[in-house]
């Protein structure tokens, strides 16, 4: 996996949408893959909580016949946490302050999720031969 490309995607998303404070990518089992978080955030704990929340939201979407889960958002008094499925095996969590524009975030996240999915599923040989 190209960790540098993954970090760049996370950083680019933060630069595209005002109000994003932290991002992380995790496996659906809760293991942290990459994080761009403040020191006040425990990235491993965030990954585990995000995986649990995404799992519950996926089950709710299936049980209610709403199709494949794409995203879920939790609102707090000081901002929000958006959880996005990255295929069937990973997720991205984006934390935002009170001023984050969620419509802009959701639009900007879609192409980033496709690229992150490609990064996560690329084999070492395909990464090594890119650009050759």
């Amino acid at each position: 996996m190209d960790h540098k490309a993954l970090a760049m995607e996370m950083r680019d998303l933060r630069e595209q949408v005002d109000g994003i404070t932290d991002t992380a990518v995790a496996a659906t089992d809760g293991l942290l893959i990459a994080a761009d978080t403040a020191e006040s955030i425990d990235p491993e704990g965030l990954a585990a909580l995000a995986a649990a929340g995404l799992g519950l939201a996926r089950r709710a979407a299936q049980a209610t016949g709403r199709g494949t889960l794409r995203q879920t958002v939790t609102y707090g008094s000081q901002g929000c946490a958006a959880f996005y499925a990255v295929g069937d095996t990973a997720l991205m969590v984006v934390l935002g302050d009170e001023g984050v524009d969620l419509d802009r975030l959701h639009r900007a996240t879609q192409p980033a999720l496709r690229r992150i999915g490609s990064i996560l599923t690329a084999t070492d040989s395909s990464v090594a031969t890119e650009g050759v």
Side-chain angles (χ1 to χ4, degrees):
M1 174 183 356
D2 186 346
H3 288 279
K4 190 180 242 181
L6 189 55
M8 188 179 342
E9 286 297 335
M10 294 165 51
R11 188 173 44 253
D12 287 349
L13 184 62
R14 186 184 274 206
E15 291 173 0
Q16 288 178 35
V17 181
D18 291 336
I20 292 177
T21 59
D22 308 273
T23 58
V25 175
T28 54
D29 64 3
L31 293 176
L32 181 66
I33 297 171
D36 179 20
T37 58
E39 286 185 26
S40 61
I41 302 289
D42 170 23
E44 287 85 8
L46 177 62
L49 288 170
L54 189 71
L56 288 172
R58 270 194 172 132
R59 291 182 76 156
Q62 289 170 348
T64 58
R66 299 299 175 237
T68 303
L69 179 76
R70 293 182 298 204
Q71 67 198 27
T72 185
V73 180
T74 301
Y75 299 91
S77 61
Q78 296 179 354
C80 66
F83 306 93
Y84 298 93
V86 181
D88 292 330
T89 60
L91 64 95
M92 182 171 69
V93 58
V94 179
L95 304 182
D97 61 24
E98 294 171 310
V100 70
D101 180 343
L102 284 176
D103 289 332
R104 174 129 176 79
L105 174 63
H106 295 325
R107 282 192 310 273
T109 301
Q110 295 314 303
L113 291 172
R114 286 189 292 277
R115 290 188 298 267
I116 288 169
S118 294
I119 293 166
L120 295 176
T121 58
T123 61
D124 289 336
S125 61
S126 67
V127 172
T129 59
E130 284 181 8
V132 174

